[in-house]
Amino acid sequence: MYPFVRSRQFLPKELSDSVLCNAVETVIKAAEVEGDCCNWPSALKNPTEGRPPFLLQWCHGAPGVIISLNNIPSGYSEEFDHLLIKGGETIWQAGPLTKSAGLCHGTDGNGYALLKLYTRTGEKKWLDRARKFAMHAIEQTSARYALWEGDLGLACFLHACITEDDRFPLLDLV
């Protein structure tokens, strides 16, 4: 959904409206809500055997939904907005990932979702939470220098926390 949501201003209004409606409807229908928390399954049908049905990293679950669909205007759907907040609560309550630093499968990728919620809501608690994830991620440095699975992504996240800039590398900066 990300490419369509991100480029909807280049689409005819009717198609742009349809993209937003369908993206929001899909996110709402796929959400698994439990109390103040929410996550999305790693596969909508036929999950891979042996793989957990719910993951919490950029490529699967709440962090990816928040980061990738944050361009849907706040207020477009109250239910969608609430689900993003619940997704953020899930990330926060789960805490930093045990894997090394990395945008895709690491604490810094999840932290970016918290930073996105700060920009979306204006609530400082999300910035504070992102920064706490950043401090934890510093201790997870991997001596790998790749953007997605290494310390380069962590450096981008640390800079983003300092400057309060939620633009996700490559997705928002291209």
Side-chain angles (χ1 to χ4, degrees):
M1 291 184 276
Y2 172 81
F4 295 106
V5 170
R6 177 66 193 239
S7 62
R8 71 183 187 285
Q9 72 270 19
F10 302 112
L11 301 172
K13 180 167 177 18
E14 184 177 305
L15 185 54
S16 175
D17 292 346
S18 176
V19 163
L20 283 179
C21 180
N22 289 328
V24 167
E25 184 179 326
T26 300
V27 168
I28 290 170
K29 285 183 178 180
E32 294 287 334
V33 178
E34 188 175 308
D36 289 340
C37 294
C38 172
N39 201 8
W40 288 265
S42 58
L44 293 178
K45 56 187 238 189
N46 302 329
T48 306
E49 192 168 322
R51 177 178 220 147
F54 292 93
L55 298 170
L56 203 57
Q57 53 199 36
W58 176 79
C59 58
H60 294 92
V65 170
I66 294 167
I67 290 168
S68 300
L69 300 179
N70 195 53
N71 289 332
I72 292 175
S74 184
Y76 177 81
S77 163
E78 191 173 309
E79 187 174 6
F80 175 82
D81 292 344
H82 288 303
L83 289 174
L84 291 188
I85 297 299
K86 286 177 181 269
E89 273 306 319
T90 301
I91 296 165
W92 175 247
Q93 288 185 28
L97 295 177
T98 57
K99 298 178 180 183
S100 62
L103 293 177
C104 189
H105 301 101
T107 298
D108 37 325
N110 286 12
Y112 257 108
L114 302 175
L115 200 53
K116 290 277 187 190
L117 289 174
Y118 167 63
T119 301
R120 185 177 188 87
T121 66
E123 294 179 21
K124 191 170 181 320
K125 76 175 183 178
W126 297 112
L127 175 62
D128 293 341
R129 289 174 173 187
R131 288 177 170 167
K132 286 177 181 171
F133 268 51
M135 294 299 97
H136 184 87
I138 288 172
E139 296 178 19
Q140 294 178 310
T141 56
S142 63
R144 293 185 323 226
Y145 303 106
L147 177 64
W148 291 102
E149 291 298 322
D151 296 340
L152 182 55
L154 174 58
C156 292
F157 177 53
L158 296 174
H159 182 264
C161 283
I162 292 167
T163 61
E164 300 180 20
D165 180 358
D166 75 343
R167 292 177 297 166
F168 196 80
L170 298 180
L171 290 181
D172 296 329
L173 296 173
V174 174

